[in-house]
Amino acid sequence: MKRMWIALLVAMPLVAQQPKPAPEKPSQPGPPPMVAPSQVNTIPEHPLTVLPYTPSLDVPSMDLAADPCADFYQYTCGGWMKNNPIPPDQASWSVYGKLAQENEQFLWGVLEDVAKPSPDRTAVQQKIGDYFASCMDEQRIESLGAKPLQPVLDKIAALKTKKQLAALLADQHQKDYGSGWMFGFGSDQDFGDATQVIAFAHAGGLGLPDRDYYLKTDAKSKEIRDKYLQHVAKMLELTGESAAQSKKDAATVMRIETSLAKASLTRVERRNPYNLYHKMSPAKLEALTPSFDWPAYFADNGLSNISTINVTEPKFFQALNKEIQSVPLSDWKAYLRWHAVHSRAPYLSSEFVNENFAFFSQTLRGVKVLPARWKRCVRYVDRDLGEALGEEFVRRTFTADTKAKTVDMTRRIEAAMEQEIKNLDWMTDATKQRAIEKLHDVANKVGYPDRWRDYSSVDVKPDDFFGNATRATVFASRRELAKIGKPVDRGEWGMTPPTVNAYYNPQMNDINFPAGVLQPPLYDPKEDDAPNYGNTGSTIGHELTHAFDDEGSQFDGQGNLKNWWTPEDKKNFDERVQCVRDQYAQYTIVDDIKINSKLTSGEDVADLGGTLLAYVAWKEADPNEALTPEQQAQGFTPDQRFFIGFAQWACENERPENLRVNAITNPHSPGKYRINGIVSNMPEFQKAFNCKDGNPMVRGANSCKVW
Ligand SMILES: [Zn+2]
C-alpha cells in the first residue's frame, strides 16, 4: 500500500523487478526470446558473517588530483567512481547501494542458517527460514511452470459480466502490492485529521512506471512503448496464448492503459496535497464510477460499513467509468490476464522471471544480468516479513551505543534547526513560533520499532514460494484495510530495519532512520564527529527540513493538512525555493535531459538545509575534538573532514538508461548535484577549502539559502 507523503532520502532500489509502492521495478521480439539462464549474475558472492568496514572518511575513494573548488564531487568521489564499476545486476551503484548489498549478504547468511529445519528455531526464525527455503527451491518452482497462475486465469475466463469485475478486483488487490489492477485501494491517515485512518482510492492501472511513458512523443519514449508491446505479448504467450492473440491483446492493453494514463495527474501535480484530497461517501464514489460494483467491492474487503473514502483523483475514476462502459468485457479480460502474469512473474519459473527482467530492468534501466537467486530471495523476505528479518538483523548488528549516539546527534540537529529558525530574516515571528512548535512535535525513530510486527497468522511453508508470497501479501493488505476507521498507530515504521535509507512522513511528523543506514561508512563510531556529522548528520538534517518543504510545510505538527504560514512568509519561502529551482534546472541528467527541478526541489532544498544544520550542530557539539595520529596524517582540517564526509555519502555510478527513468520518476537529483549544488551555495565550504570567488564551486552572490 502506498504511503502518500513519505519523503525518502534516496530512491528505493528495484525489489527484484516487482512493481512496488514507491520504488519500481521486462522485450524481446519474435521466436528466440528468452534471456538465457547464463545471464544470471555469476560474480562469486558468499554470505557474510561480519559486515565489511569502510570508514566514513575514505581517502582511497577520493581523487586528490582533482581541484575541490572546481568539482568537489570528483575530488571526494573520483576514486570511488573509478574503483566501483556498476555490477552487472544493478541499474546504478552507490555507497548506499553497496552497503545495501552488504546487508543483503549478511542477511543471506542469517537466512541460510535459519532455513535449516531445527527444533531450536524460534517462531520468527521458522517463518523467515522457511520462506527463504521455499524461494531458493528453484527446482520445484521450475517444475511448476505457469501452474500457480492458473487459478487467477480461470477466474478471469469465468467473468460473464462487467459487474463481476468488482469481486475479482477485491481479491486481486489483496494479493498484489501496488495499484496495477485498474486502480489502487488502501488506507492512510486522513489529511485533515491525522489521528484517523481512512480508506483511499488511488489512480493506477498502469504497467509502465509513470503516466508520462504513455504520452511522451520523443523517439526514445516511442521505442520504449514498442518494446513494452512486445513484452506484454511475450508474457501472455508464456501463459499459453497464441502468438497472434497475444499480439492483439498487447495492443488492447496499451489502449486501455493509455486512456488511464491520460486521466492521471503528473508527479509534479501530485506533490500538492490539495490535488489529492477529495473525501467523499461511498455513494459519491459510486456516482463517479457507476459502472463498477463498489458495494460488492467493499463487501468483499470487509468494508461494508465505511463512511468515508479519500478519492485522490476523482477525474481518474470518472475516466475509469467511461473505460468500463466503452471497452468490451473480452478486452478487459486481456488487460486482466496481463496484470495477472505481470504481477506474479517474479514467483513463477525462470521463463517468466527472465522475460520480466528483460524488459523492466534490462530495457528500461540498462541492467545487464539478473540478480542472483539468493539476492532476490533475501529481498522478498525483507519485503514480506521485514520486521521478523529485521529483528534478527538488529540483534546482530545494532549496538546500544550506536543508538545512543545517533539519538544524541538527532537532538543536536533539532536544536540547531530551532536556532536557525529563530535567526531567519525572511520569516515572521508568528510563523517562527508555529515552526518551532512543529519542530518540537517531530518524533525521532532511530534503529527499529519499539514493538515488532506479529506475523504469526501468516502461514509459511518450506515448499510453496508462490503461496508464501501470496499469503504474506494478503496479510499485509488486510492489515492495512483493518486500520480503516481506527486511530492511527504512531509507532509504525514505513521501512524495515536493514534498509539503507531514511524518510520523513509529514502525517506522522516523524523522522525515521533504520539500523541499516546507521552503519559505516555512513555512521562510523570509529571516526571523529566531523565526517559523521557531515554524512549522517546531514541526512538527519535533510529529513528534518522535509517537515518544512513544499509538501511538509503544508502539514502541522499533528500531521494535519492545515496552513500555518502567513501569505507573506509563504511568498518569501517560495522565492527562496525558486532560487534552488533555477539553480538545479541548469544541470544535465543525461543526453540533453535537464533536471525537472519542480519535481526535485523538495529534495534539493532538504539537501541544502540539512547540510547547513549538520554543520551548525557539529560546531556546537565539539569543534575541537582531538584527532588520532592516523586522522591527522590524512592532512585535512576538521572543516574539510566535515565536507568530505558529507560528500562521500553520495558517490555513485549510473547507467544512462536508469538516468532516463530517474529523470521522469525520481524526485532526487543525481549524486553529483546533490553535492556540488549544495557546497557551491555554502560560504562555509568556500572558506574550508580556500576557494576563490568565481571558482565553479562558489556561487557567491547567486547562492541560495532557505534554512
Ligand atoms: Zn528527502
Side-chain angles (χ1 to χ4, degrees):
M1 300 290 154
K2 59 176 143 199
R3 283 274 163 266
M4 297 293 303
W5 300 111
I6 282 197
L8 303 165
L9 180 73
V10 294
M12 293 294 277
L14 288 84
V15 177
Q17 298 83 51
Q18 171 66 1
K20 274 208 49 181
E24 14 299 321
K25 331 206 208 203
S27 173
Q28 225 125 331
M34 230 52 59
V35 179
S38 61
Q39 285 191 24
V40 172
N41 190 8
T42 48
I43 299 167
E45 287 164 336
H46 50 88
L48 296 171
T49 50
V50 180
L51 285 160
Y53 172 71
T54 311
S56 64
L57 192 162
D58 188 44
V59 177
S61 291
M62 300 176 70
D63 172 5
L64 295 171
D67 175 2
C69 298
D71 184 346
F72 191 57
Y73 184 72
Q74 177 63 32
Y75 176 74
T76 48
C77 288
W80 194 96
M81 289 189 284
K82 210 173 122 215
N83 299 332
N84 293 278
I86 307 172
D89 67 339
Q90 303 278 348
S92 63
W93 200 225
S94 60
V95 168
Y96 268 54
K98 199 174 171 197
L99 180 56
Q101 168 151 314
E102 288 164 1
N103 283 351
E104 286 169 354
Q105 280 176 271
F106 182 80
L107 293 169
W108 179 15
V110 171
L111 286 168
E112 259 193 358
D113 197 31
V114 298
K116 295 173 196 136
S118 153
D120 298 335
R121 293 190 297 178
T122 64
V124 161
Q125 290 171 338
Q126 178 269 321
K127 299 267 185 219
I128 59 176
D130 285 354
Y131 189 114
F132 185 71
S134 75
C135 180
M136 291 299 286
D137 189 354
E138 281 186 277
Q139 214 176 345
R140 186 182 165 82
I141 293 162
E142 286 309 309
S143 72
L144 288 172
K147 234 194 228 155
L149 203 56
Q150 205 52 50
V152 61
L153 293 179
D154 290 346
K155 276 185 196 168
I156 294 167
L159 289 174
K160 292 204 167 52
T161 65
K162 290 181 189 173
K163 204 167 158 30
Q164 293 172 328
L165 284 169
L168 182 92
L169 268 281
D171 183 39
Q172 295 309 315
H173 280 167
Q174 289 198 15
K175 290 178 174 159
D176 189 16
Y177 295 104
S179 52
W181 299 71
M182 291 173 83
F183 61 91
F185 194 87
S187 69
D188 212 331
Q189 286 164 277
D190 185 346
F191 296 178
D193 176 6
T195 64
Q196 295 299 312
V197 179
I198 59 168
F200 271 62
H202 300 276
L206 311 180
L208 286 164
D210 190 272
R211 68 181 290 285
D212 284 4
Y213 281 96
Y214 298 88
L215 308 174
K216 288 178 75 168
T217 53
D218 57 287
K220 199 86 212 167
S221 300
K222 283 184 187 151
E223 184 195 323
I224 286 176
R225 283 198 290 275
D226 284 344
K227 290 187 169 163
Y228 179 61
L229 274 173
Q230 292 165 12
H231 167 65
V232 173
K234 189 68 237 173
M235 288 294 265
L236 289 171
E237 250 190 280
L238 289 175
T239 69
E241 279 188 21
S242 72
Q245 183 65 38
S246 61
K247 209 170 161 212
K248 199 169 148 262
D249 287 351
T252 301
V253 166
M254 184 63 102
R255 245 185 357 256
I256 295 175
E257 292 187 354
T258 304
S259 301
L260 298 178
K262 278 184 189 151
S264 305
L265 294 179
T266 66
R267 268 172 211 263
V268 171
E269 288 165 336
R270 281 193 270 131
R271 290 187 72 83
N272 179 352
Y274 291 96
N275 286 342
L276 298 175
Y277 192 38
H278 310 281
K279 261 168 78 167
M280 57 182 78
S281 64
K284 201 135 176 248
L285 175 55
E286 282 174 60
L288 283 177
T289 324
S291 301
F292 187 77
D293 189 355
W294 286 105
Y297 182 85
F298 292 136
D300 285 358
N301 278 312
L303 298 171
S304 294
N305 296 321
I306 63 173
S307 56
T308 308
I309 303 148
N310 181 26
V311 179
T312 58
E313 300 181 35
K315 283 206 179 101
F316 173 86
F317 284 90
Q318 258 169 343
L320 179 63
N321 194 63
K322 281 205 197 93
E323 288 300 301
I324 295 174
Q325 277 176 340
S326 63
V327 174
L329 182 62
S330 57
D331 284 4
W332 277 113
K333 288 186 179 185
Y335 168 89
L336 294 168
R337 286 196 297 275
W338 152 242
H339 280 280
V341 63
H342 172 55
S343 63
R344 303 301 197 277
Y347 321 121
L348 296 170
S349 57
S350 55
E351 46 184 10
F352 291 92
V353 170
N354 290 340
E355 175 58 31
N356 186 47
F357 168 80
F359 179 72
F360 280 103
S361 293
Q362 224 160 22
T363 301
L364 224 43
R365 294 178 183 272
V367 183
K368 304 283 182 234
V369 303
L370 183 70
R373 185 89 201 167
W374 70 262
K375 199 181 281 186
R376 285 176 280 147
C377 292
V378 168
R379 290 174 187 174
Y380 292 130
V381 180
D382 180 56
R383 186 195 64 191
D384 287 341
L385 301 167
E387 288 194 14
L389 183 62
E391 211 176 324
E392 300 291 317
F393 180 78
V394 164
R395 192 154 53 78
R396 290 165 164 87
T397 65
F398 195 61
T399 67
D401 182 55
T402 297
K403 172 137 183 171
K405 284 193 175 136
T406 47
V407 166
D408 176 67
M409 189 187 267
T410 309
R411 291 206 183 107
R412 287 174 181 277
I413 288 164
E414 286 170 346
M417 180 131 204
E418 182 161 351
Q419 209 47 51
E420 286 298 298
I421 290 171
K422 282 180 181 156
N423 294 337
L424 289 176
D425 58 6
W426 56 266
M427 196 184 255
T428 59
D429 285 342
T431 305
K432 281 184 182 177
Q433 194 50 42
R434 310 293 278 280
I436 288 166
E437 279 166 27
K438 178 168 184 181
L439 180 64
H440 289 166
D441 285 334
V442 172
N444 302 332
K445 293 187 183 164
V446 177
Y448 53 93
D450 293 336
R451 234 176 332 106
W452 295 108
R453 190 166 300 175
D454 176 8
Y455 295 99
S456 55
S457 66
V458 189
D459 187 15
V460 180
K461 300 173 181 164
D463 58 357
D464 183 12
F465 176 45
F466 189 94
N468 289 338
T470 305
R471 287 187 292 273
T473 311
V474 170
F475 167 79
S477 303
R478 288 190 180 153
R479 210 177 154 271
E480 289 301 317
L481 295 172
K483 296 175 185 172
I484 294 171
K486 300 200 179 93
V488 68
D489 173 3
R490 297 245 172 203
E492 271 213 5
W493 280 63
M495 259 174 204
T496 66
T499 308
V500 185
N501 207 338
Y503 70 91
Y504 171 73
N505 180 345
Q507 285 218 266
M508 293 285 222
N509 196 24
D510 62 2
I511 49 177
N512 300 258
F513 307 97
V517 82
L518 299 172
Q519 311 175 72
L522 305 175
Y523 179 78
D524 184 356
K526 290 187 186 152
E527 286 285 358
D528 51 315
D529 275 351
N532 280 321
Y533 270 82
N535 191 322
T536 294
S538 295
T539 301
I540 296 169
H542 171 109
E543 298 308 336
L544 201 55
T545 64
H546 274 316
F548 309 91
D549 70 9
D550 61 328
E551 287 178 353
S553 64
Q554 306 193 56
F555 295 85
D556 68 13
Q558 271 60 57
N560 302 316
L561 183 59
K562 197 170 141 193
N563 184 37
W564 47 275
W565 295 60
T566 65
E568 185 194 344
D569 289 317
K570 185 83 179 93
K571 193 176 143 269
N572 286 336
F573 174 75
D574 288 343
E575 272 170 19
R576 278 155 180 82
V577 171
Q578 191 59 44
C579 175
V580 177
R581 282 191 180 163
D582 293 342
Q583 178 193 355
Y584 278 76
Q586 297 163 27
Y587 298 142
T588 302
I589 297 184
V590 62
D591 311 329
D592 57 350
I593 307 172
K594 301 272 188 211
I595 291 178
N596 175 4
S597 62
K598 282 190 183 134
L599 178 64
T600 64
S601 65
E603 297 299 331
D604 301 329
V605 168
D607 286 339
L608 181 58
T611 311
L612 182 66
L613 293 178
Y615 184 85
V616 170
W618 167 58
K619 287 287 180 189
E620 287 285 321
D622 187 6
N624 301 315
E625 190 183 358
L627 298 181
T628 65
E630 290 79 13
Q631 289 164 344
Q632 278 172 13
Q634 290 170 334
F636 305 114
T637 67
D639 271 65
Q640 291 174 340
R641 295 181 70 81
F642 174 91
F643 284 106
I644 298 167
F646 157 64
Q648 287 195 328
W649 85 260
C651 304
E652 68 181 16
N653 286 311
E654 290 269 4
R655 297 193 193 281
E657 294 89 342
N658 197 51
L659 285 169
R660 285 186 204 107
V661 178
N662 284 347
I664 296 175
T665 63
N666 194 343
H668 305 91
S669 297
K672 178 177 175 179
Y673 304 115
R674 296 189 74 173
I675 301 308
N676 288 354
I678 302 307
V679 298
S680 59
N681 280 318
M682 292 180 73
E684 296 85 353
F685 170 81
Q686 181 181 4
K687 206 171 150 220
F689 285 90
N690 291 314
C691 300
K692 306 226 170 357
D693 289 344
N695 283 161
M697 292 296 101
V698 180
R699 286 168 47 84
N702 297 325
S703 290
C704 306
K705 183 174 186 289
V706 183
W707 300 107

